[in-house]
Amino acid sequence: MKQITVVGVGYVGLVTAACFSDLGNKVIALDVNEERVKGLKRGEMPIYEPGLEELVERNVAAGRLDFTTDYKSALQDSEFVFICVGTPSGVDGKADLKYVESAARSIAENMQAPLIVINKSTVPVGTGDWVAEIMAEAQPKAIDFAVVSCPEFLREGAAISDFMNPHRTVLGSLDREAADKVAQLHLQLRSPIVITDLRTAEMIKYASNAFLATKISFINEIADICESLGADVKEVAAGMGFDARIGKHFLEAGLGYGGSCFPKDVKALAFMAEEMNQEPRILNAVMHVNGLRRGMIVERLKDLVGDLDGKTIGLLGLAFKANTDDMRDAPSVDIANALMAAGATVRAFDPVAMEVAARDLPKVAMADDAYSLAEGVDALIVVTDWNEFKHLDLERIRDSMAAPVLLDGRNIYFPDQMKSLGFTYRGVGRGYNGAGEVQTEVKVPTNAV
Ligand code: NAD
Ligand code: UGA
């Protein structure tokens, strides 16, 4: 059993703390937000993440997980400290490192014995070296420490399973012994472990997020071309995905990427490139294509219902993706604001994000469920791909709407079915748009593996 301190108890920190304690370590999770820590001590989760509450409860009950705001007691007896604080976009897209800096200073001021400082926050290349400098300067007396980069690759909504079954663990350090000790902590996860230098590890994180964002912008561009040429992007993506070099993931066309990670990380990487006098042409194109998606859906709605002035539009979903209540850079906010600016009244329903969303969207009326949302609206837009939306009683939805217009920003419905139910339906990049002429079929030879 190792003793670990986790600094920053947000989406990444809380999952990291809960999972490491579940793996049998003793974990103290620290946050400067007193309300958050008090709530956690009462068993209240600050975020919605499937399975997290049970995991936290189980490990607190077993005495392996505790929460505090006090650095000194948190660091006492800990061999490892994970920094998991936010790194939001600052001026010009540069990552703002003020929380990392203050965490590094507090660790240095309060450590009482040698420590391995592991940075899990997504930070610009070179930050590990900078953290080491800050710590050395802030220590009241010199105590040995090593800095290791261990970027996190979990997705919100699937965070626990991603943490426990990572595709790989990446570790970067100039201190090989420290990196090996951190590798030991991860051995139970049985994933490939890549050990490299600090800057390379930091870059692997940005390059990975930027590549996934590139796939999304790529398929969105293909979706627009599909639509104008009469091909169906869902089938195109499926057909492409069988090629292992391409892969089937992250080829879902729709409203583009949002959330707290891709938008800020692609921007931050482009900023790093520009600072080094490089022109990030691909990253700029990725951001440009993504930036057009939210306006595109509003223009499409105008094609379907005409002038939006005086119309009532319902948004199915608000969170930036399913299975989270995270509203950071959620497409729903821009879409709702654009609809309201065009004179529409906007209503919305989201299974978990409405309380968080109400802060960003005070003028949007929140409905009790999808059915009450549909009552009397001139159109519905699917904004978030929640599973429960896929199983709605669509006839009931249709009958309660003022007009059966459904714009599917996430391609969760079948165009043919929607058409036969009498909806005026439009997805994204679905060329035949439900005309029913083609049905892609995949035949797998019986001797195929
Ligand atoms: P978050 O905003 O949910 O949580 C950050 C927490 O850190 C907050 O609770 C805040 O109060 C706390 N904090 C800030 N300064 C502190 C300090 N000095 N001492 C102690 N606590 C402090 O952030 P997040 O979404 O968990 O992201 C954290 C980092 O992980 C970011 O760099 C992000 O890019 C990266 N990341 C996030 C995800 C994700 O899915 N959210 C996935 C991989 C990587
Ligand atoms: C993403 C990465 O997937 C994680 O590996 C990474 O750790 C994390 O960022 C991070 O660095 O913080 P996350 O933002 O939680 O995770 O969610 P994703 O599932 O990647 O979705 C991001 C956005 O892309 C969402 O808005 C989603 O709707 C959109 N998306 C995703 C698409 O539009 N199409 C797709 O095919 C996939």
Side-chain angles (χ1 to χ4, degrees):
M1 185 184 78
K2 298 288 183 190
Q3 182 155 327
I4 298 170
T5 301
V6 173
V7 174
V9 194
Y11 286 88
V12 168
L14 188 51
V15 171
T16 300
C19 289
F20 271 126
S21 59
D22 209 50
L23 292 170
N25 302 289
K26 181 161 173 42
V27 181
I28 297 136
L30 176 148
D31 205 288
V32 286
N33 182 334
E34 286 183 20
E35 285 311 306
R36 186 162 276 213
V37 170
K38 274 189 203 151
L40 280 160
K41 280 184 169 291
R42 289 193 298 265
E44 294 161 15
M45 293 305 106
I47 53 167
Y48 173 84
E49 181 62 45
L52 189 58
E53 191 165 354
E54 296 85 316
L55 196 68
V56 169
E57 201 177 271
R58 178 162 80 232
N59 287 288
V60 168
R64 287 190 296 262
L65 176 60
D66 199 3
F67 300 97
T68 185
T69 53
D70 179 41
Y71 269 94
K72 192 148 248 134
S73 62
L75 292 173
Q76 198 174 17
D77 303 326
S78 276
E79 191 183 343
F80 303 95
V81 54
F82 282 88
I83 298 182
C84 302
V85 300
T87 48
S89 266
V91 184
D92 298 332
K94 183 180 182 171
D96 184 346
L97 294 177
K98 64 174 182 276
Y99 303 115
V100 173
E101 179 173 0
S102 98
R105 279 191 195 286
S106 303
I107 293 166
E109 285 161 5
N110 291 285
M111 64 190 279
Q112 298 129 65
L115 200 55
I116 298 179
V117 180
I118 306 151
N119 189 31
K120 229 179 208 320
S121 298
T122 304
V123 289
V125 177
T127 302
D129 299 326
W130 178 71
V131 162
E133 281 167 29
I134 291 173
M135 287 192 57
E137 178 217 299
Q139 280 186 326
K141 66 171 183 246
I143 305 174
D144 277 354
F145 69 88
V147 177
V148 177
S149 163
C150 175
E152 180 51 60
F153 297 98
L154 64 76
R155 290 161 302 165
E156 289 178 21
I160 294 167
S161 139
D162 282 355
F163 189 97
M164 292 298 204
N165 309 285
H167 295 285
R168 77 304 207 183
T169 298
V170 173
L171 300 174
S173 186
L174 300 176
D175 180 334
R176 183 58 197 241
E177 200 186 324
D180 284 341
K181 284 188 180 159
V182 181
Q184 289 284 334
L185 274 185
H186 290 84
L187 283 185
Q188 285 172 81
L189 301 178
R190 307 188 75 80
S191 66
I193 299 180
V194 178
I195 302 186
T196 180
D197 63 85
L198 261 176
R199 287 172 183 239
T200 303
E202 290 165 345
M203 184 51 120
I204 289 172
K205 173 63 191 175
Y206 276 106
S208 301
N209 272 6
F211 186 76
L212 293 170
T214 303
K215 273 187 110 172
I216 297 171
S217 280
F218 176 84
I219 202 66
N220 280 326
E221 185 161 305
I222 295 293
D224 291 347
I225 303 172
C226 279
E227 197 155 303
S228 51
L229 293 175
D232 183 337
V233 73
K234 264 193 106 94
E235 307 296 334
V236 170
M240 288 166 65
F242 284 112
D243 185 330
R245 293 170 303 173
I246 297 172
K248 61 181 187 226
H249 301 291
F250 279 71
L251 288 177
E252 278 170 37
L255 301 176
Y257 59 80
S260 69
C261 304
F262 288 169
K264 84 168 168 64
D265 291 346
V266 180
K267 252 192 243 161
L269 183 54
F271 182 88
M272 277 181 253
E274 277 161 5
E275 256 191 334
M276 293 291 117
N277 297 319
Q278 304 275 344
E279 193 187 340
R281 297 179 190 85
I282 294 178
L283 301 179
N284 284 339
V286 167
M287 290 188 281
H288 180 70
V289 169
N290 197 60
L292 299 173
R293 302 312 288 172
R294 301 168 188 197
M296 167 278 295
I297 207 82
V298 176
E299 288 311 308
R300 264 169 204 209
L301 186 66
K302 287 183 191 158
D303 288 348
L304 292 178
V305 302
D307 190 359
L308 291 174
D309 197 17
K311 299 259 171 22
T312 300
I313 310 299
L315 302 185
L316 272 168
L318 290 164
F320 84 95
K321 60 181 268 191
N323 294 321
T324 182
D325 60 352
D326 200 339
M327 284 295 297
R328 291 178 282 183
D329 213 335
S332 61
V333 177
D334 288 338
I335 293 169
N337 285 333
L339 294 171
M340 290 188 288
T345 299
V346 179
R347 289 161 43 182
F349 168 71
D350 187 285
V352 303
M354 290 194 293
E355 203 183 316
V356 183
R359 290 181 226 143
D360 293 323
L361 295 169
K363 293 199 176 128
V364 171
M366 302 294 171
D368 290 339
D369 56 30
Y371 299 104
S372 51
L373 173 73
E375 273 165 33
V377 296
D378 296 293
L380 283 172
I381 307 179
V382 178
V383 180
T384 314
D385 51 346
W386 281 96
N387 251 341
E388 68 176 69
F389 295 159
K390 296 175 189 164
H391 308 295
L392 291 172
D393 177 347
L394 290 167
E395 290 178 357
R396 188 173 157 199
I397 294 276
R398 176 198 63 203
D399 293 343
S400 51
M401 294 171 75
V405 177
L406 197 143
L407 187 51
D408 186 352
R410 299 288 184 173
N411 288 341
I412 65 172
Y413 297 120
F414 297 99
D416 288 349
Q417 188 195 4
M418 296 305 280
K419 201 177 170 210
S420 65
L421 283 171
F423 279 94
T424 301
Y425 172 84
R426 191 151 170 201
V428 177
R430 316 211 59 180
Y432 286 90
N433 213 8
E437 287 93 337
V438 274
Q439 193 72 54
T440 308
E441 199 179 327
V442 179
K443 287 198 196 305
V444 182
T446 46
N447 62 352
V449 184

